[in-house]
Amino acid sequence: MKRPNSIAFPVATVLILGMALMMVISTVVTVTVFLLTDAQSRKQVAVESVVELLQHGGGYDHTGKFVLEVDGVIAEKLIRLSEEQPDFWYFVSDGAQSIIHGAVPASVQHVIDMTSPQIFSSQFYYFKGDERLLGLRKLNADVPAKLVVVGGASFSNLETLLVVLREIWPQGLYHLLGIVLVATATIAVVAVKRTIATPVRRVVDSAEQIDGLPNGRRISDRDTPIELKPMVAAFNSALGCIDNAFEAQRNFLANASHELRTPLTKLRLKLDLVRDLEVRNVLVRDTARLASIVTTSLQLARLSGQALTFSEIDLAAVARAIIAEHVPSAMKQGMDIEFKAPEGRVMISGSEPAIRVALDNLIINAMRHAHGTEVLVVEVLQSCILRVTDGGPGIPAAEREKMLRPFVRGSASASEGTGMGLAIVSQIMMAHTGSVALGEATGNGLVVDLAFPKIAKAPPSS
């Protein structure tokens, strides 16, 4: 399974590796500067490191003889470097056996003999000729206690740096680096991810507010990081190009539909002059269908990409007024329209002209396609649903979803239509953030439910 691509992961990785590298580099630089500026400290580091190596290196072989066994490549190298120096010497004793390297100065031997065994560590200076050298005596708390005395140790800058790194790595740097890396990883996982996600989330929230209307909302670049500004600008530019193309298409459709209405009206009037009744009926029917296509195309063009003006309206009152206009046409086709509504008002937030177009299309579709319907029922429910029920052949369940698309006609339709009536209804409901549901009536026929969002009630004043 492919791991999701994340901006935070590589940023966190670089941050952790960079922090670890900076810790090592800063430590080396700090120690180097320290060693280059303090010669006395270099001598002290050399003596103390050798004393520690000798204390840990003292042991016994299989015969019980006290011997010196230094473990580790660096430790062996340091002892070897020390032993190569002519002034270097050391004295190691467990109280019964001793290991001596080099010549212990007489003045130092006096210090060793006279120092109280209760003093575990002491530093001293002695002279060899005119040179002042540093010595260190150290007694550990082992049983038996091991006494180590070292003098004359001196390392170069590079050798001293090697000693310092060997000393501080296991004692402090390793733990400090571990703590820093854990803290960095935590910051990277939490803070870095949140820091990156916050501006991206603002851009996403702004994108979700895009209404799809010409010259409508765009992604705001206010408070947008400079890294995301090119993406926002490119997206807004693409929306502008889409708007221009959509506006050109909408204008063409509206202009073409408008220009066709006048010649179609004239053509319909001239058809009355045709003497052949059969030919005239065919031409009248085709002209009527063409006029219907032009009308619905004009409606679709006007609704597409146009912001509707919303207000609080009574859905029952609007439906009642629209039905009254269609009653004469329905009666001519031998169809009655029955209206049902609750006693109180059903208030919604919507566009009355758009709702009028939607209900007009549903009633006209029913009169055109629902043959055999004696009573067309239009009902307004308290739940803000406008329901239209006919007794026609209905629409098969497999075709209902695609019937909401433009220019799609049902396979069982016995009459010619534009295939845009339900598409216009669907678009109007989308503009109202509502929904269209096509179902089957009891027994036979089609049920169309237009569900409008309810108006949020304001909290009662205290």
Side-chain angles (χ1 to χ4, degrees):
M1 182 177 180
K2 187 178 180 181
R3 181 179 59 82
N5 192 13
S6 172
I7 301 176
F9 181 77
V11 172
T13 302
V14 172
L15 186 60
I16 293 172
L17 295 178
M19 184 64 70
L21 182 61
M22 288 303 298
M23 283 288 297
V24 174
I25 293 176
S26 61
T27 301
V28 173
V29 171
T30 302
V31 173
T32 302
V33 172
F34 166 74
L35 296 175
L36 292 176
T37 56
D38 194 339
Q40 185 63 29
S41 297
R42 291 201 306 272
K43 292 181 180 180
Q44 186 168 350
V45 168
V47 173
E48 289 179 352
S49 62
V50 173
V51 169
E52 182 180 353
L53 291 174
L54 294 175
Q55 276 190 328
H56 289 88
Y60 301 90
D61 61 11
H62 65 284
T63 63
K65 182 180 178 181
F66 186 50
V67 295
L68 187 63
E69 296 178 351
V70 180
D71 295 331
V73 177
I74 296 179
E76 292 178 357
K77 184 176 181 179
L78 292 176
I79 292 297
R80 186 172 65 253
L81 289 172
S82 301
E83 291 177 347
E84 291 174 356
Q85 299 176 31
D87 296 331
F88 174 69
W89 56 267
Y90 63 77
F91 173 84
V92 183
S93 175
D94 65 350
Q97 303 181 59
S98 300
I99 301 174
I100 301 175
H101 172 80
V104 179
S107 60
V108 174
Q109 185 64 51
H110 178 72
V111 171
I112 297 173
D113 296 338
M114 298 301 295
T115 302
S116 171
Q118 295 181 352
I119 299 176
F120 287 92
S121 179
S122 60
Q123 183 176 296
F124 57 88
Y125 292 92
Y126 64 97
F127 285 90
K128 185 176 182 180
D130 295 334
E131 185 178 3
R132 185 171 182 262
L133 301 175
L134 174 65
L136 179 63
R137 172 192 175 278
K138 203 165 189 178
L139 182 67
N140 63 20
D142 295 344
V143 179
K146 293 184 179 64
L147 174 66
V148 178
V149 186
V150 174
S154 178
F155 293 151
S156 66
N157 290 338
L158 181 61
E159 293 165 353
T160 307
L161 176 61
L162 185 65
V163 172
V164 172
L165 291 179
R166 178 184 177 276
E167 292 295 323
I168 66 176
W169 181 265
Q171 294 181 7
L173 182 60
Y174 178 82
H175 301 89
L176 178 61
L177 183 59
I179 294 173
V180 171
L181 290 181
V182 171
T184 305
T186 303
I187 294 173
V189 171
V190 179
V192 173
K193 185 175 182 180
R194 182 171 297 178
T195 302
I196 295 175
T198 298
V200 174
R201 183 68 255 177
R202 286 201 301 265
V203 173
V204 171
D205 291 340
S206 181
E208 290 177 347
Q209 301 300 318
I210 295 175
D211 48 22
L213 299 177
N215 300 319
R217 294 182 180 178
R218 295 292 185 266
I219 299 179
S220 174
D221 62 353
R222 185 179 60 184
D223 300 330
T224 300
I226 58 175
E227 293 83 2
L228 297 179
K229 284 185 179 293
M231 181 190 72
V232 172
F235 191 84
N236 287 337
S237 177
L239 287 177
C241 295
I242 294 173
D243 282 348
N244 293 335
F246 185 80
E247 183 68 16
Q249 182 183 20
R250 190 173 73 91
N251 289 337
F252 171 78
L253 183 60
N255 293 334
S257 299
H258 181 75
E259 293 296 327
L260 285 173
R261 295 182 71 178
T262 300
L264 284 174
T265 301
K266 294 180 179 180
L267 178 61
R268 174 65 185 85
L269 294 175
K270 292 179 180 181
L271 288 179
D272 292 336
L273 301 178
V274 177
R275 295 181 179 181
D276 190 324
L277 182 60
E278 184 177 353
V279 174
R280 183 173 62 190
N281 290 337
V282 172
L283 293 176
V284 169
R285 184 185 61 192
D286 291 344
T287 305
R289 182 172 182 272
L290 185 58
S292 178
I293 292 176
V294 170
T295 301
T296 53
S297 297
L298 186 58
Q299 287 179 343
L300 190 61
R302 288 173 176 173
L303 289 171
S304 299
Q306 181 179 358
L308 301 178
T309 303
F310 282 48
S311 61
E312 290 191 12
I313 59 175
D314 183 359
L315 184 59
V318 173
R320 184 180 291 107
I322 297 172
I323 290 171
E325 298 175 2
H326 289 279
V327 168
S329 299
M331 293 179 64
K332 289 181 181 180
Q333 298 186 26
M335 181 186 300
D336 291 333
I337 300 180
E338 181 182 353
F339 178 66
K340 298 179 180 180
E343 295 182 358
R345 297 192 302 172
V346 180
M347 302 302 297
I348 64 169
S349 177
S351 169
E352 183 174 343
I355 295 174
R356 178 178 292 275
V357 171
L359 188 52
D360 281 343
N361 276 278
L362 291 180
I363 294 176
I364 292 173
N365 274 356
M367 291 191 297
R368 179 178 298 162
H369 301 292
H371 299 293
T373 300
E374 295 181 356
V375 179
L376 179 65
V377 181
V378 179
E379 186 176 4
V380 176
L381 305 180
Q382 192 66 50
S383 55
C384 300
I385 293 178
L386 177 60
R387 175 174 295 169
V388 179
T389 306
D390 63 52
I395 299 176
E399 299 181 7
R400 290 171 188 167
E401 183 177 355
K402 65 180 182 180
M403 289 297 295
L404 300 177
R405 304 171 190 168
F407 305 106
V408 176
R409 298 176 63 246
S411 59
S413 177
S415 63
E416 297 182 359
T418 64
M420 290 194 294
L422 290 176
I424 291 175
V425 174
S426 177
Q427 187 165 354
I428 291 173
M429 294 309 298
M430 288 178 59
H432 285 78
T433 63
S435 62
V436 181
L438 305 182
E440 185 176 353
T442 303
N444 199 9
L446 178 69
V447 177
V448 182
D449 280 354
L450 308 184
F452 294 87
K454 296 181 179 180
I455 298 177
K457 295 182 179 181
S461 58
S462 55

